[in-house]
Amino acid sequence: MDNGNGISRTVRIALGSGHVALGAGLGLVLWLALPARCVAVDLPVALVALALAGSGAVLLKGGVPRDLLLARIASALTLVVGLALLTGLLWSAVYLKGIYGDLGRGASAFFKLIAFTILPYLVIYPGVALFLLRPGAQAAPAPAEEPA
């Protein structure tokens, strides 16, 4: 069922809920699980958390003029930050394994575990959201029937 914005109500509720949950989760991880403050980590994660929570709330509310655009921007930002974090973690794992040999294997395994833990949340979910929110996915208006 289309609601006039080109995206079904079910997809809107699912993506809105997912955005809010992921944004809240990232915010909690940032402020509760990471005790040390570092601007290089805090700023991107806080921006992503706020963008996701805000766009998710707008998607759930519905009727906001640029709600799909906000959700696309939040998903793209999450995807960029997630890919940067994933790349950094995997490069670090390879570096530690190459430089420290057997000692670096444990640290390398830990970095790989973290990388594959964040993969579904910061790479796959935003990619799926961008796919569902793409402009071409919006329903085309039905052609008007000509009177006979």
Side-chain angles (χ1 to χ4, degrees), residues 18-75:
H19 275 53
V20 169
L22 185 56
L26 282 174
L28 288 174
V29 164
L30 177 65
W31 296 110
L32 297 179
L34 297 176
R37 302 276 62 99
C38 176
V39 175
V41 174
D42 290 350
L43 187 63
V45 175
L47 284 175
V48 167
L50 287 173
L52 282 171
S55 69
V58 168
L59 272 176
L60 287 174
K61 182 178 182 292
V64 177
R66 299 284 182 184
D67 53 356
L68 297 180
L69 178 65
L70 291 173
R72 277 188 221 117
I73 290 171
S75 296

Side-chain angles (χ1 to χ4, degrees), residues 4-20:
N5 286 342
I7 185 171
S8 71
R9 182 174 186 267
T10 306
V11 172
R12 178 180 293 279
I13 290 173
L15 286 178
S17 301
H19 275 53
V20 169

Side-chain angles (χ1 to χ4, degrees), residues 46-122:
L47 284 175
V48 167
L50 287 173
L52 282 171
S55 69
V58 168
L59 272 176
L60 287 174
K61 182 178 182 292
V64 177
R66 299 284 182 184
D67 53 356
L68 297 180
L69 178 65
L70 291 173
R72 277 188 221 117
I73 290 171
S75 296
L77 179 66
T78 305
L79 184 62
V80 167
V81 170
L83 286 173
L85 181 61
L86 187 69
T87 303
L89 285 170
L90 292 177
W91 277 355
S92 298
V94 169
Y95 173 78
L96 289 172
K97 189 174 180 182
I99 295 295
Y100 294 108
D102 290 336
L103 182 63
R105 283 188 191 167
S108 175
F110 178 72
F111 277 98
K112 288 177 187 173
L113 176 68
I114 297 297
F116 289 119
T117 301
I118 67 162
L119 182 68
Y121 304 108
L122 296 181

